Amino acid sequence: MTTTPSDQMRAEHRLSMDELAAVIACDIPAGAFVNLGIGQPTKIADHLPADSGVVLHTENGMLNMGPKAEGDAVDPDLTNAGKVPVTELPGAAYFHHADSFAMMRGGHLDVCVLGAYQVAFDGDLANWHTGEPNAIPAVGGAMDLAIGAKDVYVMMTLFTRSGEPKLVPQCTYPLTGVGCVSRVYTDCGVFDVGPDGVRIRETYGVSAPELAERLGITLS
Amino acid sequence: MTTTPSDQMRAEHRLSMDELAAVIACDIPAGAFVNLGIGQPTKIADHLPADSGVVLHTENGMLNMGPKAEGDAVDPDLTNAGKVPVTELPGAAYFHHADSFAMMRGGHLDVCVLGAYQVAFDGDLANWHTGEPNAIPAVGGAMDLAIGAKDVYVMMTLFTRSGEPKLVPQCTYPLTGVGCVSRVYTDCGVFDVGPDGVRIRETYGVSAPELAERLGITLS
Amino acid sequence: MSRAEIVESADAAVAGIEDGSTVLVGGFGLAGMPFDLIDALIRQGAKDLTIVSNNAGNGEVGLAALLAAGRVRKVLCSFPRQADSWVFDGLYREGKIELEVVPQGNLAERMRAAGAGIGAFYCPTAVGTPLAEGKEEREIDGRKYLLEYPIRGDYALIGAHVADALGNLVYRKTARNFGPVMATAATTTIVQVDQVVEPGTLDPEAVVTPPSTSTGSSR
Amino acid sequence: MSRAEIVESADAAVAGIEDGSTVLVGGFGLAGMPFDLIDALIRQGAKDLTIVSNNAGNGEVGLAALLAAGRVRKVLCSFPRQADSWVFDGLYREGKIELEVVPQGNLAERMRAAGAGIGAFYCPTAVGTPLAEGKEEREIDGRKYLLEYPIRGDYALIGAHVADALGNLVYRKTARNFGPVMATAATTTIVQVDQVVEPGTLDPEAVVTPPSTSTGSSR
């Protein structure tokens, strides 16, 4: 952990994905049951305080998942959703896929954090398909997670490499879920989204008015 | 066990319920997964050959249920569907109620044997409610079993105490299941029932024509 | 800290149950019945309850005592009528309690649906019987089914054998019955166990109810 | 004797699989993937198969090799596209294989429905997305759901850790994944295990797949 929450709150620069992971880790309530999506969200686990009591769920059938396995601890029968070898913590439990997704859909997870191509101001999520005609579709557990957890957070860069905003009035990419995202964490700022529209919570390395103008957000 | 199957096949008298249980036990295929309903059908377990390999299912969450528990073997946490203490056999497995009934409905049981108030020639079953206006309805697992097992057998006396047939052209009691019974074992004879109507397989202490006339069955 | 909370008395465990709650009560006959929690609920006094359980009480204890105390408005169960269900029988005949009879497998599957986020499901049980009345029927692949809706609880009171401090549960023999399903279907699950152990004591392969689905635990 | 049959070779285990079968294949990535059975299926030669599995093959082995051998007409899976799914990618781009993408939880729940005798169920996943196309939508208690139908297999090929001679199965860690669900959804389940033990060896409380739902077992 290279930064502390108080550092980040004052950040006057765009956050790195590691710094952003630390910000999200601080916002996850102690004792929460949490699913971290494949890719960047996985980093959040490294920033959870040791005494947080956060219980990690992995869609492939486990609660109380521990950190990535190294060396002799690598076991091909024990991986996370990204197929990376992981470890188990005391109090772990294994279950089959139907039970694992029942747990999701049934509202038994407090938070899941997903990556995204686009998030709409009203909470629509697009993170499974670029919509390109020759792309091979692959959804995995994204749609199940999107509608399952009590709170769905997105972790992403705010702009594409070519500078297009990924937080948008309406998604142009195929949807993963409708109105399912409640908060969007990005390198440039944190946003609440949902039925009441978008609200800037904090910004990094950019002022709120400047960000609002660039994204087409009305500041209230 | 007081009689052997070959004795019963030749029986020139109405069978006792114990003798009938022995007849049914002989008809259950080796290695079958079987649920025996509350009441008379429970007796069938006592007549299964030791090497039959029949696996007993109890709706309250167990496979490979053993005989009734006696003395020190009584454990209040281990009962059959009739709440009678039972034992476990090697290779037993416990599961919860949703899994137990999924096993039934999903067609994973080969045979179940139920008691009945009435069975219709087409296989309709009435075994849960007398239809009397002030009777308190109680269905338990009867409707689930009726539609779940691959073969549903009924074990009953053929006539009520007042002499009314219980194998009837149409049930007058409230139904448990529609067209679900394939065979009816009674003290007076064994019948196939189903979409093609009723057929007498064998009789005990009465001739087939005599029985057919009394029940209103057309002999083919 | 995880959300599971270990409390030392059954009275503390049930203290929050409000009048008018729907309470899922585990057990099949006596096996798995959380007697201490039911006794505590009687002392606690919550009334106008809807009880979901396989049976409707035996003798004068447990659910029968709760019913006798006049706290229950309605019972959903598969098998109310038993040799020793005189308390329920009397209240029912006097019109003092409502009854919804649900086939045992549907009772389990409807609670499973509640816990699994399923909106409704088509089930072949009870087609063509009096219990099909008022239910939508649909033919799928040549077979008839009835549309069944989830049964959710505000609380579940269940018995288990051992809990760890995180809320993982294992059960004992056929006392498992409805417990694991009810634990998923209730907003708050209160568990009566024989023993509480440290996390890491239970075999992770043998845990039946993982903690995310149960939020309370009681000795 | 019980219906479970112990055979000494994977080839004998898969001998009966017919052309045109729907085969459920366990595993999530490599964990729980029944490689010996898939290799045997390739040797056996059955073609025109529909494969239901979470992924559509990795590298050149297992499902990827089955696909490369031209035996598969259609794949139902949640996540075909991976860094090393070039075999599937090539066949798909050439129009030589059909694909039905199913959200991972729906894949599991639709097989669970097949094994549990559920005719169909309303599921909130994928509402409002392209994967909702052609599916019946229904609002229940203010929330939208899609009607999902069971996925049945003629065969399931799964990996487990230990079987007893009756067919009880236990799994190991996250290699459990789809195995227990597939075992309920197939007419015949063929299991690759590390070890076969005598009945009575496995803890009855820890059995994950009881034998009534699986009819074949293979070392």
Side-chain angles (χ1 to χ4, degrees):
Chain A
M1 208 183 303
T2 52
T3 56
T4 69
S6 55
D7 288 335
Q8 290 142 12
M9 293 309 168
R10 291 192 298 264
E12 299 200 346
H13 60 280
R14 280 195 184 193
L15 299 192
S16 70
M17 283 294 120
D18 252 331
E19 288 168 328
L20 188 58
V23 170
I24 300 171
C26 286
D27 282 1
I28 291 177
F33 291 88
V34 176
N35 184 297
L36 301 175
I38 296 177
Q40 300 294 353
T42 307
K43 289 187 201 291
I44 296 164
D46 302 333
H47 296 275
L48 291 167
D51 62 349
S52 72
V54 166
V55 174
L56 295 184
H57 170 265
T58 181
E59 69 195 28
N60 51 323
M62 181 187 194
L63 271 177
N64 269 298
M65 179 176 66
K68 204 175 144 177
E70 309 278 1
D72 287 352
V74 170
D75 180 336
D77 284 347
L78 181 47
T79 74
N80 66 15
K83 281 99 177 178
V84 175
V86 292
T87 53
E88 70 180 37
L89 296 180
Y94 297 102
F95 31 83
H96 61 59
H97 247 82
D99 279 352
S100 183
F101 282 78
M103 199 177 279
M104 255 180 224
R105 272 193 319 266
H108 305 290
L109 299 183
D110 297 299
V111 176
C112 91
V113 187
L114 299 171
Y117 295 139
Q118 288 180 326
V119 180
F121 295 169
D122 62 1
D124 286 359
L125 171 67
N127 78 345
W128 76 288
H129 198 309
T130 59
E132 283 165 37
N134 72 336
I136 297 177
V139 69
M143 288 186 182
D144 312 89
L145 278 166
I147 58 88
K150 285 179 198 151
D151 277 303
V152 176
Y153 297 165
V154 159
M155 174 185 188
M156 65 180 190
T157 57
L158 186 55
F159 298 97
T160 64
R161 279 176 204 169
S162 58
E164 298 296 313
K166 294 160 71 177
L167 181 61
V168 292
Q170 270 200 310
C171 293
T172 56
Y173 283 16
L175 290 190
T176 306
V178 175
C180 55
V181 178
S182 55
R183 195 175 291 170
V184 183
Y185 291 88
T186 76
D187 51 344
C188 300
V190 180
F191 307 83
D192 285 332
V193 296
D196 301 331
V198 62
R199 196 175 68 82
I200 299 175
R201 287 177 67 91
E202 50 188 88
T203 63
Y204 308 125
V206 56
S207 74
E210 195 181 335
L211 201 55
E213 196 188 331
R214 199 154 162 207
L215 296 172
I217 294 174
T218 311
L219 284 178
S220 52
Chain B
M1 209 183 302
T2 54
T3 56
T4 68
S6 54
D7 289 335
Q8 291 144 13
M9 293 308 167
R10 293 194 297 265
E12 300 198 348
H13 60 280
R14 280 197 187 189
L15 299 192
S16 70
M17 283 295 119
D18 253 330
E19 289 168 329
L20 188 59
V23 170
I24 301 172
C26 286
D27 281 1
I28 291 178
F33 291 88
V34 176
N35 184 298
L36 301 176
I38 296 178
Q40 299 293 352
T42 307
K43 287 188 202 292
I44 297 165
D46 301 334
H47 296 275
L48 291 168
D51 62 350
S52 73
V54 166
V55 174
L56 294 183
H57 171 265
T58 182
E59 69 194 29
N60 50 323
M62 183 186 193
L63 271 177
N64 269 296
M65 179 176 68
K68 204 175 145 177
E70 308 278 2
D72 286 352
V74 170
D75 180 336
D77 284 346
L78 179 48
T79 75
N80 65 14
K83 281 101 177 177
V84 175
V86 292
T87 53
E88 72 181 33
L89 296 179
Y94 297 104
F95 31 84
H96 61 58
H97 247 82
D99 279 351
S100 182
F101 282 77
M103 198 177 280
M104 257 181 223
R105 274 192 319 265
H108 306 290
L109 299 182
D110 297 300
V111 176
C112 91
V113 186
L114 298 172
Y117 295 138
Q118 287 180 328
V119 181
F121 295 169
D122 63 0
D124 286 0
L125 171 67
N127 79 345
W128 75 290
H129 198 309
T130 58
E132 283 165 36
N134 72 336
I136 296 176
V139 70
M143 289 188 182
D144 313 89
L145 278 166
I147 58 89
K150 285 178 199 156
D151 277 303
V152 175
Y153 297 165
V154 160
M155 174 184 187
M156 65 180 191
T157 56
L158 186 54
F159 299 97
T160 64
R161 278 174 203 169
S162 57
E164 297 296 311
K166 293 159 73 176
L167 180 61
V168 292
Q170 269 200 310
C171 294
T172 55
Y173 283 16
L175 291 190
T176 306
V178 175
C180 55
V181 178
S182 56
R183 195 174 292 169
V184 182
Y185 290 89
T186 77
D187 50 342
C188 300
V190 180
F191 306 84
D192 285 330
V193 295
D196 301 329
V198 64
R199 196 175 69 81
I200 300 175
R201 288 177 65 92
E202 50 189 90
T203 62
Y204 309 124
V206 58
S207 74
E210 194 180 339
L211 201 53
E213 196 189 333
R214 198 152 164 210
L215 296 171
I217 294 175
T218 312
L219 283 179
S220 53
Chain C
M1 51 154 245
S2 138
R3 291 188 308 187
E5 194 185 335
I6 314 288
V7 294
E8 287 304 315
S9 78
D11 292 292
V14 305
I17 299 181
E18 306 86 1
D19 289 357
S21 295
T22 295
V23 184
L24 319 177
V25 179
F28 183 88
L30 307 185
M33 184 64 70
F35 283 104
D36 293 351
L37 296 176
I38 298 169
D39 289 348
L41 182 58
I42 295 170
R43 289 191 294 272
Q44 192 256 27
K47 57 184 191 299
D48 198 28
L49 301 174
T50 294
I51 296 292
V52 182
S53 196
N54 190 60
N55 304 111
N58 304 75
E60 307 280 349
V61 299
L63 277 185
L66 186 70
L67 266 62
R71 308 286 172 70
V72 180
R73 185 176 67 76
K74 182 175 178 181
V75 170
L76 281 85
C77 74
S78 86
F79 210 75
R81 188 197 61 221
Q82 297 183 275
D84 57 354
S85 61
W86 54 79
V87 171
F88 173 82
D89 300 358
L91 289 167
Y92 181 78
R93 294 221 155 90
E94 290 169 39
K96 289 187 174 161
I97 198 160
E98 284 177 64
L99 170 66
E100 180 178 342
V101 173
V102 182
Q104 195 174 151
N106 288 11
L107 198 63
E109 188 70 12
R110 289 172 64 185
M111 288 191 281
R112 194 247 171 211
I118 300 299
F121 59 93
Y122 287 101
C123 186
T125 306
V127 166
T129 78
L131 295 188
E133 261 171 46
K135 293 186 190 280
E136 177 185 322
E137 187 179 287
R138 182 165 181 150
E139 192 167 314
I140 299 170
D141 274 346
R143 189 171 194 195
K144 288 177 180 165
Y145 296 85
L146 301 174
L147 187 61
E148 298 286 348
Y149 290 94
I151 298 174
R152 288 186 187 84
D154 299 305
Y155 294 88
L157 307 186
I158 65 171
H161 183 40
V162 182
D164 73 13
L166 295 177
N168 285 296
L169 302 178
V170 297
Y171 300 81
R172 210 174 153 268
K173 303 188 185 284
T174 57
R176 184 184 301 196
N177 59 66
F178 283 94
V181 185
M182 290 178 168
T184 70
T187 308
T188 302
T189 296
I190 304 172
V191 191
Q192 168 180 337
V193 296
D194 298 326
Q195 201 189 349
V196 178
V197 298
E198 283 305 301
T201 311
L202 297 174
D203 176 2
E205 304 284 2
V207 167
V208 175
T209 298
S212 77
T213 55
S214 68
T215 55
S217 183
S218 154
R219 262 190 272 213
Chain D
M1 50 151 243
S2 140
R3 290 187 309 187
E5 195 185 334
I6 312 289
V7 296
E8 287 303 317
S9 77
D11 292 291
V14 304
I17 299 182
E18 306 87 1
D19 290 355
S21 296
T22 295
V23 184
L24 319 177
V25 179
F28 183 86
L30 307 184
M33 182 66 68
F35 283 104
D36 293 351
L37 297 176
I38 298 169
D39 289 348
L41 182 58
I42 295 171
R43 288 192 294 273
Q44 193 256 26
K47 56 185 193 299
D48 198 28
L49 301 173
T50 295
I51 297 292
V52 182
S53 196
N54 190 60
N55 304 111
N58 303 76
E60 308 279 350
V61 299
L63 277 186
L66 186 71
L67 267 61
R71 308 287 172 69
V72 181
R73 185 176 66 74
K74 182 175 178 182
V75 170
L76 281 86
C77 74
S78 87
F79 209 74
R81 190 197 61 222
Q82 297 184 274
D84 57 354
S85 61
W86 54 79
V87 171
F88 173 82
D89 299 359
L91 290 167
Y92 181 77
R93 294 222 155 90
E94 289 168 38
K96 290 186 175 162
I97 198 160
E98 286 177 63
L99 170 66
E100 181 177 342
V101 174
V102 182
Q104 194 173 151
N106 288 10
L107 197 64
E109 188 70 12
R110 289 173 63 186
M111 288 190 280
R112 193 244 169 215
I118 300 299
F121 59 93
Y122 288 101
C123 186
T125 306
V127 168
T129 78
L131 296 187
E133 261 171 46
K135 292 184 190 281
E136 178 184 322
E137 187 179 289
R138 181 164 182 151
E139 192 166 315
I140 300 170
D141 274 346
R143 190 173 191 192
K144 287 177 181 163
Y145 296 86
L146 300 175
L147 186 62
E148 298 286 348
Y149 290 93
I151 298 174
R152 288 184 189 83
D154 299 305
Y155 294 89
L157 306 185
I158 66 170
H161 183 40
V162 181
D164 73 14
L166 295 178
N168 285 295
L169 302 178
V170 297
Y171 300 81
R172 212 176 149 267
K173 302 188 186 285
T174 57
R176 182 183 303 196
N177 58 68
F178 284 94
V181 185
M182 289 178 169
T184 69
T187 307
T188 302
T189 296
I190 304 172
V191 191
Q192 170 181 336
V193 296
D194 298 326
Q195 201 188 348
V196 178
V197 298
E198 283 306 301
T201 313
L202 297 175
D203 177 1
E205 305 284 1
V207 167
V208 175
T209 298
S212 76
T213 56
S214 67
T215 54
S217 184
S218 154
R219 263 188 273 211

